[in-house]
Amino acid sequence: MSTLSDLAHAQGRLADNDVEWLHRLAGDGQLLADLASADIVVWVQTEDGSFVAVAHARPSGAATLFYRDIVGERVRPQWRTQVQGAFESAQIVDSSSPDWFEETPTRVRAVPIVSERQGGQRPASVIGVVTRHTNLGEARTPSRQQITFDECADDLFRMIADGSFPDPAAPTSPRRGAPRASDGLIRIDVDGITTFASPNALSAFNRMGFDDELEGESLAEVTTRLVPPSRQVDESLPVVVTGRAPWRTDIEARGVTVSLRAIPLKDRGTRIGAILLCRDVSELRHQEQELITKDATIREIHHRVKNNLQTVASLLRIQARRTHSDEARDALTQAMRRVDSIAVVHDTLAQGLTQKVDFDEVFHRVLKLVAEVASAPNTRARTQSTGRFGVLPSEYATPLALALTEVVTNAVEHGLAGQEGIVTIDAARTEENLRVTVRDTGHGLPEGRIGQGLGTQIIRTLIQGELGGSIEWRGSEGEGTEVVIDIPLRWLTA
């Protein structure tokens, strides 16, 4: 087991919402480690009363104590009493003297993790313990920034112990480029006045056009002056820059985009200020915009290719109607159907946001193309499909759609020619293989011979050549035909 959910659920002691609370806390483990310049470990109690580590974060700006991952390990004897005390008393327990870990002096703080139940319907409870392991071997005179970071860490640990952090209203899925403590940190008081701004935070605001000191300034007024009146502002910006809600937003000025995350600070439920993390994400947002533009361009290309293919299919249909040769008409009709099946794939890609397609939807539409063949004189064919193809990469959806069109068409045209019958298509997918079986209740293979026409050659080229799969024809005269296609999915998704 390696995930927090696996380890927490394995103990059989935590409800789902408690595990979700631990997930949120573990998600902010790196923030706590960077602010405290210490290793952060989350523990949950096991059925035998001991504790097991379910999450660990190392500090970015200080030496770690744990060079090996301790997730999944039981609490060590020198920390057991302290962790047990925090869990049972629901109080923060500090080590009374330096704790030695592999010849390194450390200071350990054990903080109870209190989970507020949904809507306050049930009383808060201790669901685990988070420990802070500070390396005293690198002790040096702290800077003002480090003192502020320590104070912020202490505030957050206190909030963990009273159940007000992490905030359940905070977003659970941070946007790419979410700010970290090292990217820039601003602390504001309850009135929104900046009491501290790290050098990186000040630099980010300087790049947006603010050329003064942030400390002593109202952050809301500063951002108001920075944002051009003509620019549309995210409605969450005011509550973020005043620290009133645990939200995230972006502020853009002079071509610079800064991502902001607010973490309200509380003391026994009363707001006392906030931490704002900020990061210059101009390049990231530019890359995201480029990806959006490229995605729109690719979809437009697929849309135009689909339109062009449908135009080609229409021309073939017109030509087929005007020809006086039955053989030429059949050849043009088959070519039209093949073009239409490729157009279906491009139409599906034009509607999606990724270069993968739900092939079940594609194949359902491809089957409709065969209906024209099924309506031939003296032939009454019904098609039915079972199983699921699932999602496939676009580069393999086209050859598979075209190959299956040929197989089903052959089953109707040749297998059921001049009679009534059923064509069944079954898709069976595993992690390693996709098997498609096409059966008909028709005439069967004469003396077991496989056709040598253009359709059969196309099928072999597509399945064996482009998809790296195999195809097998089975059946005998008068007993119908079965075609089995196997495609290795590991090769498909490589």
Side-chain angles (χ1 to χ4, degrees):
M1 293 182 294
S2 59
T3 66
L4 187 150
S5 293
D6 291 337
L7 291 166
H9 277 305
Q11 313 314 319
R13 304 174 62 91
L14 299 176
D16 288 341
N17 56 313
D18 290 335
V19 174
E20 175 61 26
W21 191 273
L22 289 175
H23 266 294
R24 286 178 173 272
L25 180 60
D28 277 319
Q30 191 60 57
L31 171 64
L32 293 170
D34 291 343
L35 290 176
S37 297
D39 285 88
I40 302 297
V41 184
V42 177
W43 308 86
V44 296
Q45 192 175 42
T46 64
E47 293 182 351
D48 61 5
S50 184
F51 291 85
V52 62
V54 295
H56 173 214
R58 296 178 173 89
S60 299
T64 180
L65 288 171
F66 309 116
Y67 294 95
R68 296 181 179 84
D69 193 359
I70 67 171
V71 172
E73 293 186 6
R74 290 179 178 268
V75 66
R76 303 194 178 190
Q78 63 263 41
W79 309 324
R80 185 180 297 120
T81 301
Q82 194 174 344
V83 170
Q84 185 76 37
F87 186 83
E88 294 178 351
S89 68
Q91 300 292 324
I92 296 176
V93 179
D94 288 307
S95 55
S96 56
S97 59
D99 174 73
W100 290 86
F101 179 80
E102 296 183 355
E103 301 182 355
T104 300
T106 65
R107 182 172 64 250
V108 181
R109 164 172 286 191
V111 180
I113 304 172
V114 176
S115 168
E116 285 189 349
R117 302 310 176 103
Q118 296 177 343
Q121 296 176 357
R122 292 183 291 170
S125 65
V126 179
I127 60 173
V129 175
V130 58
T131 52
R132 166 181 172 171
H133 303 259
T134 306
N135 187 342
L136 299 179
E138 293 189 342
R140 58 185 183 275
T141 303
S143 63
R144 181 165 176 256
Q145 173 172 304
Q146 187 56 60
I147 292 173
T148 303
F149 276 28
D150 284 339
E151 292 173 351
C152 292
D154 290 340
D155 288 334
L156 293 179
F157 283 124
R158 187 183 64 251
M159 291 168 62
I160 292 172
D162 65 23
S164 55
F165 185 82
D167 195 311
T172 55
S173 300
R175 189 177 182 183
R176 193 167 71 102
R180 302 157 297 189
S182 57
D183 295 320
L185 181 142
I186 298 172
R187 177 155 183 163
I188 60 176
D189 62 20
V190 69
D191 297 317
I193 305 300
T194 303
T195 60
F196 173 81
S198 71
N200 286 344
L202 184 59
S203 295
F205 275 79
N206 288 161
R207 286 191 287 274
M208 289 190 293
F210 182 74
D211 55 5
D212 203 348
E213 293 294 331
L214 278 174
E215 294 185 21
E217 295 280 351
S218 167
L219 195 60
E221 293 179 2
V222 169
T223 55
T224 300
R225 295 198 300 267
L226 288 176
V227 179
S230 59
R231 183 174 297 278
Q232 185 176 0
V233 178
D234 188 337
E235 61 183 13
S236 64
L237 181 60
V239 293
V240 170
V241 296
T242 55
R244 296 180 180 274
W247 293 344
R248 298 186 181 97
T249 189
D250 285 356
I251 177 174
E252 184 176 352
R254 293 191 177 184
V256 176
T257 304
V258 173
S259 179
L260 297 174
R261 177 195 175 187
I263 304 174
L265 298 176
K266 300 178 182 179
D267 184 7
R268 299 177 184 178
T270 301
R271 190 168 63 86
I272 59 173
I275 299 170
L276 276 89
L277 305 178
C278 54
R279 179 181 181 182
D280 186 342
V281 292
S282 304
E283 185 61 29
L284 286 175
R285 296 295 179 260
H286 179 67
Q287 292 173 0
E288 289 175 355
Q289 188 58 46
E290 285 187 337
L291 289 174
I292 292 173
T293 302
K294 288 179 180 178
D295 179 73
T297 302
I298 291 172
R299 282 187 290 157
E300 178 62 21
I301 290 172
H302 283 302
H303 180 71
R304 294 189 182 189
V305 169
K306 181 263 297 184
N307 288 344
N308 291 337
L309 289 172
Q310 288 181 336
T311 300
V312 172
S314 298
L315 294 174
L316 292 172
R317 185 180 294 107
I318 293 172
Q319 188 66 44
R321 289 173 180 173
R322 294 192 175 188
T323 185
H324 299 292
S325 167
D326 291 339
E327 184 178 353
R329 184 182 300 109
D330 290 342
L332 290 170
T333 300
Q334 291 176 8
M336 176 199 70
R337 185 174 57 253
R338 290 161 186 156
V339 172
D340 274 336
S341 66
I342 299 173
V344 167
V345 177
H346 284 282
D347 187 38
T348 304
L349 289 169
Q351 300 173 14
L353 295 176
T354 67
Q355 291 303 296
K356 294 184 178 182
V357 297
D358 182 351
F359 196 79
D360 294 285
E361 176 186 349
V362 171
F363 186 64
H364 176 71
R365 297 174 63 182
V366 166
L367 273 181
K368 292 182 179 180
L369 300 176
V370 183
E372 295 182 10
V373 179
S375 61
N378 302 321
T379 300
R380 297 182 59 188
R382 291 186 294 113
T383 59
Q384 60 184 29
S385 57
T386 59
R388 289 187 58 82
F389 291 90
V391 176
L392 294 175
S394 61
E395 58 266 36
Y396 303 109
T398 297
L400 183 58
L402 187 54
L404 290 178
T405 299
E406 294 293 331
V407 172
V408 176
T409 300
N410 285 344
V412 175
E413 283 188 329
H414 305 296
L416 300 178
Q419 69 177 58
E420 180 178 352
I422 300 174
V423 178
T424 303
I425 305 95
D426 177 69
R429 180 167 180 168
T430 66
E431 292 184 359
E432 301 179 353
N433 185 71
L434 172 64
R435 168 168 287 192
V436 184
T437 305
V438 181
R439 304 182 185 89
D440 67 65
T441 57
H443 304 289
L445 297 174
E447 301 179 4
R449 291 180 298 180
I450 301 173
Q452 300 297 321
L454 177 60
T456 303
Q457 294 178 25
I458 290 175
I459 294 169
R460 287 187 183 279
T461 300
L462 293 171
I463 297 299
Q464 298 175 347
E466 294 198 31
L467 297 177
S470 62
I471 182 168
E472 181 182 359
W473 281 265
R474 304 169 182 169
S476 58
E477 191 169 3
E479 297 183 2
T481 304
E482 180 178 86
V483 181
V484 181
I485 298 172
D486 282 296
I487 301 172
L489 290 186
R490 284 185 177 177
W491 187 84
L492 274 174
T493 56

